Amino acid sequence: MSGHCCHGKGQELERIALHKDIRRVLVVVMMLNLMMFVVEFGAGLVANSAALMADSVDMLGDGLVYGLSLYALDRSLRWRAGSALIKGGFILLLGLGVIVEIVVKLIMGEPPASGLMLVFGTMALIVNLSCVGLLWPYRRHDVNLSSTFECSRNDVLANLGVLAAAGLVAVTSSPWPDAAIAAIIAFLFIRSSIRVIREAWPQFHHRHAAAAAE
């Protein structure tokens, strides 16, 4: 009896410690993303780069996503699934916003400053690699954290795309590589949103139906 009781307390302490670790990690990655949004968006405006601006908006989206994850962390499975659904919808809106930005930049027709793209794209890549490393141990904790990890992993791909666009713009002096990478980022947003919504909806629907039955 005593051994079983101690074992139960030990499991509870491990659960509490894990949540504290997760909360600390989410706060760190949230602040990193919000800080990088301000820096990269400003650089995108100065450099006239749709890809940089798209990537910075992605940073803002992730900062808000991590805030939602923090809010849902200690709540029920239905709350966490609902939070993931909100994240999926928000990512979808970001993808559509990037498409609008691409059209505007192509109409203007001016190539962006490739040097600024390279510098700030590298900074964003370092930040996102750090976030992926911090979130990696918790990526399978639940659907909420799984969707959070998905966002950061996609960001790394987007950052590599920005760096590739910077190189192509330098070689071609054309706005098209910048627009093409921004379009790919939009595609990643939309694909990720569909995946997150697909994973979260069954859990949210099941819990909603169970709550209604009670």
Side-chain angles (χ1 to χ4, degrees):
M1 178 72 72
S2 175
H4 176 75
C5 179
C6 290
H7 177 68
K9 287 181 179 179
Q11 287 184 325
E12 179 66 15
L13 288 173
E14 288 177 3
R15 185 189 67 80
I16 293 171
L18 179 61
H19 273 225
K20 286 183 178 179
D21 288 342
I22 293 172
R23 187 176 298 279
R24 188 180 304 113
V25 165
L26 288 175
V27 168
V28 170
V29 296
M30 179 180 68
M31 296 306 296
L32 284 173
N33 275 269
L34 292 177
M35 176 190 70
M36 197 61 215
F37 159 69
V38 175
V39 173
E40 194 176 18
F41 188 82
L45 287 174
V46 174
N48 191 35
S49 169
L52 268 183
M53 293 179 71
D55 197 39
S56 72
V57 172
D58 185 22
M59 290 284 195
L60 173 63
D62 283 351
L64 299 177
V65 160
Y66 298 137
L68 278 173
S69 296
L70 281 166
Y71 180 73
L73 188 59
D74 294 323
R75 294 180 177 269
S76 66
L77 180 60
R78 183 170 175 244
W79 268 98
R80 295 196 297 273
S83 175
L85 284 174
I86 293 172
K87 283 183 275 188
F90 190 78
I91 295 169
L92 180 60
L93 288 176
L94 287 177
L96 297 175
V98 169
I99 291 173
V100 172
E101 182 65 25
I102 292 168
V103 173
V104 171
K105 294 299 181 184
L106 286 178
I107 291 173
M108 293 175 62
E110 295 180 6
S114 58
L116 287 175
M117 289 178 67
L118 183 62
V119 170
F120 289 96
T122 300
M123 288 176 60
L125 176 61
I126 293 171
V127 168
N128 278 317
L129 284 174
S130 300
C131 291
V132 168
L134 288 168
L135 290 166
W136 179 266
Y138 311 108
R139 67 193 185 282
R140 301 188 192 281
H141 181 71
D142 60 24
V143 66
N144 184 42
L145 286 168
S146 176
S147 64
T148 301
F149 177 77
E150 176 88 7
C151 292
S152 286
R153 187 180 62 182
N154 283 348
D155 288 348
V156 171
L157 298 177
N159 297 148
L160 293 174
V162 171
L163 295 178
L168 290 172
V169 167
V171 172
T172 64
S173 298
S174 167
W176 282 98
D178 182 62
I181 292 303
I184 293 172
I185 293 174
F187 170 75
L188 287 172
F189 284 164
I190 294 170
R191 188 186 68 170
S192 179
S193 71
I194 293 172
R195 182 177 301 166
V196 169
I197 291 170
R198 184 185 299 152
E199 290 179 0
W201 175 248
Q203 293 190 28
F204 181 81
H205 179 69
H206 173 73
R207 292 291 172 175
H208 178 72
E214 295 175 357

